[in-house]
Amino acid sequence: MAIKIDMLRCFTMVATHGSLSEAAEALGRTPSAVSMMLKQFEDHVGSALFETARKSRLTPIGELILNEARREVAHFENTVSVIEGLARSELGFLRLAVTPSVATTVLPSVIYKFAQRYPKVQIDLRDMDSATIADELDRERADIGIGSLPVVEGMRRTELFSDAFGLVCRKDHPLAETWDQLTWRSLGDQTIIANGLCAQISDPDFAPILARSRLMVPNTASLLGLVRQGVGITVLPQLVVANLMDEFAFLPLADVAARRTVHLMSRPNHMLMPAAKEFLKLIMDMKRDGSLLPHL
């Protein structure tokens, strides 16, 4: 007969309490059941573990086995705790791949709430462009992706929000004074810094403006650094600068029809770890109650 964890648990309880009846009460079993389990363990070991029938004193071999038994019982109970924690999403690992604007404006409130509910879940948050997000999901290096993502076979995609494109410049830029009259054609000879999101703008009047741009900066932080320095202006969705309005101006254009659509993407629910399922539920709940996005 193989040694079972119940044998070790009974043995350690009897050794701890020095009494079959007290050990049985702690285990929620009858004294006869504990005695039988202990007898099976001693038969397997081939030696008595207690010096007397009263179980108040261990034999030398019993002393040695007790240390190992306690270690094994503690390990087993910790393993059970981890498994149950994963099932309840109290423990685990959550990998998020998101665009920079989502990372800085949308996710902070979501992660704050999630971390309060599940403080033991480890979160890996990486910001990257939408094409890289799709690749990370495909390679199973991310559990959830948020960005301007295409339909991908085998993935679940849900629209989170959309926001309008507009000009982004320094607050002291001359264009900020006449923003309510701006159109694509009124940009004249302004220096336009292109970025990866410009490809989503299909307005015919924007095409020649993009074509004459001599600066292409995919990284949002670098892009805004150049705008901050006065190198030029750029075109971005409103959410990108929602938290930066103290130094940048977001200027809607009268003839802009383009909007950026941001999607949430993951594998089907049954393929996700519990922590990822709970994160998806939280973010969709926040979308429904209107607390997901900052005021635009």
Side-chain angles (χ1 to χ4, degrees), residues 8-79:
L8 300 180
R9 187 179 284 114
C10 282
F11 169 57
T12 57
M13 278 295 183
V14 173
T16 298
H17 291 279
S19 163
L20 279 175
S21 59
E22 291 184 20
E25 184 177 353
L27 290 167
R29 297 189 177 188
T30 63
S32 60
V34 173
S35 178
M36 183 180 297
M37 185 68 69
L38 187 59
K39 176 71 165 56
Q40 290 175 348
F41 187 38
E42 288 181 323
D43 288 344
H44 184 90
V45 173
S47 177
L49 300 174
F50 296 90
E51 291 187 355
T52 66
R54 293 181 61 188
K55 314 301 182 187
S56 59
R57 181 179 295 180
L58 289 163
T59 61
I61 187 66
E63 292 278 5
L64 294 174
I65 291 176
L66 179 60
N67 291 331
E68 297 301 324
R70 281 177 170 161
R71 185 180 297 114
E72 187 59 33
V73 169
H75 175 72
F76 176 80
E77 291 178 347
N78 181 65
T79 300

Side-chain angles (χ1 to χ4, degrees), residues 100-109 161 239-243 292-294:
S101 62
V102 170
T104 58
T105 58
V106 177
L107 282 193
S109 62
F161 63 88
L239 191 67
V240 176
V241 292
N243 292 340
L292 180 63
L293 297 180

Side-chain angles (χ1 to χ4, degrees), residues 4-285:
K4 300 177 181 178
I5 194 66
D6 281 346
M7 293 179 179
L8 300 180
R9 187 179 284 114
C10 282
F11 169 57
T12 57
M13 278 295 183
V14 173
T16 298
H17 291 279
S19 163
L20 279 175
S21 59
E22 291 184 20
E25 184 177 353
L27 290 167
R29 297 189 177 188
T30 63
S32 60
V34 173
S35 178
M36 183 180 297
M37 185 68 69
L38 187 59
K39 176 71 165 56
Q40 290 175 348
F41 187 38
E42 288 181 323
D43 288 344
H44 184 90
V45 173
S47 177
L49 300 174
F50 296 90
E51 291 187 355
T52 66
R54 293 181 61 188
K55 314 301 182 187
S56 59
R57 181 179 295 180
L58 289 163
T59 61
I61 187 66
E63 292 278 5
L64 294 174
I65 291 176
L66 179 60
N67 291 331
E68 297 301 324
R70 281 177 170 161
R71 185 180 297 114
E72 187 59 33
V73 169
H75 175 72
F76 176 80
E77 291 178 347
N78 181 65
T79 300
V80 171
S81 177
V82 169
I83 291 171
E84 291 176 344
L86 285 170
R88 295 192 302 267
S89 301
E90 292 178 356
L91 301 173
F93 191 73
L94 177 62
R95 301 169 300 173
L96 303 173
V98 304
T99 57
S101 62
V102 170
T104 58
T105 58
V106 177
L107 282 193
S109 62
V110 182
I111 290 178
Y112 176 76
K113 290 184 179 181
F114 186 81
Q116 284 188 313
R117 295 182 187 180
Y118 309 106
K120 295 182 181 179
V121 173
Q122 182 177 346
I123 301 174
D124 176 24
L125 171 62
R126 292 171 292 148
D127 61 85
M128 57 192 70
D129 61 73
S130 294
T132 306
I133 292 172
D135 186 59
E136 290 294 282
L137 288 167
D138 182 61
R139 294 173 179 267
E140 299 187 21
R141 293 195 294 233
D143 303 306
I144 297 171
I146 305 177
S148 300
L149 303 170
V151 174
V152 177
E153 185 177 357
M155 295 284 181
R156 182 178 64 173
R157 188 182 75 149
T158 304
E159 181 177 332
L160 276 187
F161 63 88
S162 68
D163 53 344
F165 280 92
L167 291 181
V168 176
C169 61
R170 285 170 35 151
K171 294 194 75 171
D172 60 357
H173 194 284
L175 287 176
E177 299 176 4
T178 57
W179 65 269
D180 57 338
Q181 306 169 31
L182 288 176
T183 65
W184 289 124
R185 294 185 179 182
S186 64
L187 296 184
D189 58 356
Q190 295 290 331
T191 300
I192 301 294
I193 308 173
N195 60 77
L197 292 172
C198 290
Q200 297 185 32
I201 302 174
S202 57
D203 296 10
D205 290 335
F206 179 63
I209 295 173
L210 184 60
R212 63 179 172 82
S213 174
R214 294 296 176 263
L215 274 173
M216 172 62 182
V217 185
N219 181 273
T220 303
S222 300
L223 173 67
L224 292 178
L226 293 175
V227 174
R228 184 181 293 110
Q229 188 62 37
V231 174
I233 62 176
T234 192
V235 182
L236 287 170
Q238 186 175 3
L239 191 67
V240 176
V241 292
N243 292 340
L244 303 171
M245 299 305 289
D246 56 333
E247 57 178 328
F248 295 106
F250 177 84
L251 312 178
L253 280 81
D255 56 350
V256 173
R259 297 183 67 87
R260 172 192 59 166
T261 301
V262 173
H263 294 94
L264 179 75
M265 184 176 286
S266 70
R267 296 192 177 277
N269 212 50
H270 70 276
M271 298 178 65
L272 296 175
M273 292 290 286
K277 293 180 183 178
E278 292 302 320
F279 190 86
L280 287 175
K281 181 178 182 301
L282 173 61
I283 199 169
M284 295 310 297
D285 286 346

